[in-house]
Amino acid sequence: MDDESLPSRADQRRADKAREDALARLASDLVRLGPKSLARLEVPEPVLDALEDARAISSPRARERQLRVVRSMLRDADWPKLRAALDSLLKHGEVKHEVGRERAREWVVRLVGGGAAALEELLARHPNADRTHLRQLIRGAMQTSEARRRRAEDKLADALASLLGRA
């Protein structure tokens, strides 16, 4: 195996940070939902219990610690599926299980964290994709502003869902 195919430590750190940021946003979004919405999302029972505990905590520091517990539980769950279901619930008012959307959310995190190597992997699987457009969307999803990043990630997820749906 040649050394060029191995990710560098910086690439690995960037990928880990992108995944953790996505998990942190998911945990934060889930804790804001009510019990009925969480039931519609079919959140796993241990995660649901941790979310209820986080909602009951009033101290900001203690709540942040509990959200880290939620994040660790989400790592073991099918979190891209949960993120896609949450997006569907927030956007349409109902949960639509779309496999393409779930795969698109996984790819968003991979592309933001994986850099050029992840983009090359996607383009190898889907050679008809527009490299320049995807690169611009990825760059936008790496913004520091939370609102801009969220919109850019949604646009990237839409483009990827369209691309993956055509394949």
Side-chain angles (χ1 to χ4, degrees):
M1 182 177 242
D2 56 346
D3 291 337
E4 291 179 14
S5 66
L6 297 174
S8 69
R9 280 183 271 161
D11 290 342
Q12 188 61 45
R13 268 195 314 270
R14 186 174 44 248
D16 290 345
K17 183 176 179 346
R19 186 182 68 246
E20 289 305 312
D21 286 347
L23 285 168
R25 285 193 308 271
L26 178 58
S28 177
D29 290 346
L30 287 173
V31 83
R32 287 189 209 114
L33 293 178
K36 288 182 181 179
S37 296
L38 289 172
R40 290 171 64 191
L41 290 175
E42 300 173 5
V43 177
E45 195 65 35
V47 176
L48 194 59
D49 292 340
L51 286 168
E52 288 173 8
D53 292 344
R55 201 175 300 117
I57 297 172
S58 59
S59 167
R61 293 179 77 177
R63 188 178 187 138
E64 189 59 38
R65 280 193 304 271
Q66 184 62 25
L67 284 175
R68 284 195 300 266
V69 170
V70 171
R71 264 196 341 244
S72 71
M73 291 179 165
L74 286 171
R75 271 185 222 113
D76 298 333
D78 189 5
W79 67 268
K81 179 179 178 182
L82 192 56
R83 177 81 249 182
L86 177 61
D87 290 344
S88 174
L89 179 68
L90 295 176
K91 190 172 187 177
H92 304 292
E94 63 180 324
V95 178
K96 297 178 183 176
H97 291 288
E98 302 172 41
V99 176
R101 252 349 234 172
E102 295 164 12
R103 289 182 46 220
R105 279 296 172 182
E106 288 178 42
W107 271 107
V108 167
V109 173
R110 288 176 67 186
L111 290 169
V112 170
L119 180 59
E120 291 303 322
E121 181 183 346
L122 178 68
L123 292 171
R125 292 181 185 189
H126 304 280
N128 59 340
D130 184 357
R131 174 189 301 269
T132 305
H133 183 63
L134 286 173
R135 192 177 290 142
Q136 289 171 344
L137 291 173
I138 293 166
R139 198 173 301 127
M142 297 171 84
Q143 296 290 325
T144 57
S145 165
E146 180 68 28
R148 292 181 84 186
R149 184 181 332 129
R150 184 176 296 270
R151 281 194 309 268
E153 284 180 355
D154 288 344
K155 284 176 75 172
L156 179 58
D158 289 343
L160 289 170
S162 173
L163 176 67
L164 295 171
R166 283 183 287 175

